[in-house]
Amino acid sequence: MAKSGLRAAGYGTPDGPAFSPALLDAFHQADVWIHGAFALEQGAIFTSTILAAVTVAVIERRFLQAAAWCGVAALLSSLGLMHSYLWTPADTALSLTPAWPWAQAYALMGLVFFAARWVTVADDAAADGHR
């Protein structure tokens, strides 16, 4: 929607200003952190599939599986297949360069999920000692 609004305002058109990093500052001044949206757009199918799989694994208390999915996300981000973008005059596009902050965040979440099996309880009744 942000890109559609920018195009409606003339950005990315032959007679208008090009998409550029200057847009990030303009959005930040309006308290809109658009960099994350541009990054999430790149590899959106991978991202949605992996985040859905992580969510299901956590709900089912399969923490090792959630950690493994985070490892996959870290790998894809480090290969530039997710979250890495470059500016073109009319858009942002996948750049196939490592998205290190995202890869590090996924790796950290993988470690959290790996540790979760030792720091969580099976259910509320077990936590309260009612078993």
Side-chain angles (χ1 to χ4, degrees), residues 3 7 44 96 119:
K3 286 182 180 180
R7 287 191 190 93
L96 296 178
V119 296

Side-chain angles (χ1 to χ4, degrees), residues 32-43:
V32 177
W33 299 88
I34 199 72
H35 168 67
F38 289 154
L40 283 171
E41 177 188 28
Q42 309 310 319

Side-chain angles (χ1 to χ4, degrees), residues 11 16 24 37 47-49 55 70 81 83 100 109 113 119 126 128:
Y11 279 83
L24 297 178
T47 303
S48 60
T49 301
T55 301
C70 286
L81 296 172
H83 309 311
W100 291 121
M109 284 310 303
F113 290 134
V119 296
D128 295 335

Side-chain angles (χ1 to χ4, degrees), residues 14-79:
D15 297 329
F19 276 55
S20 72
L23 287 173
L24 297 178
D25 292 333
F27 274 98
H28 289 174
Q29 289 175 2
D31 202 27
V32 177
W33 299 88
I34 199 72
H35 168 67
F38 289 154
L40 283 171
E41 177 188 28
Q42 309 310 319
I45 298 297
F46 288 139
T47 303
S48 60
T49 301
I50 291 168
L51 292 180
V54 168
T55 301
V56 169
V58 169
I59 290 169
E60 294 179 350
R61 303 185 52 79
R62 296 178 185 199
F63 298 120
L64 288 179
Q65 188 177 38
W69 278 112
C70 286
V72 171
L75 176 65
L76 290 175
S77 295
S78 68
L79 294 173

Side-chain angles (χ1 to χ4, degrees), residues 65-116:
Q65 188 177 38
W69 278 112
C70 286
V72 171
L75 176 65
L76 290 175
S77 295
S78 68
L79 294 173
L81 296 172
M82 287 175 31
H83 309 311
S84 181
Y85 68 93
L86 55 82
W87 298 98
T88 66
D91 207 345
T92 57
L94 188 65
S95 72
L96 296 178
T97 57
W100 291 121
W102 293 84
Q104 292 167 346
Y106 283 123
L108 179 61
M109 284 310 303
L111 290 174
V112 168
F113 290 134
F114 182 76

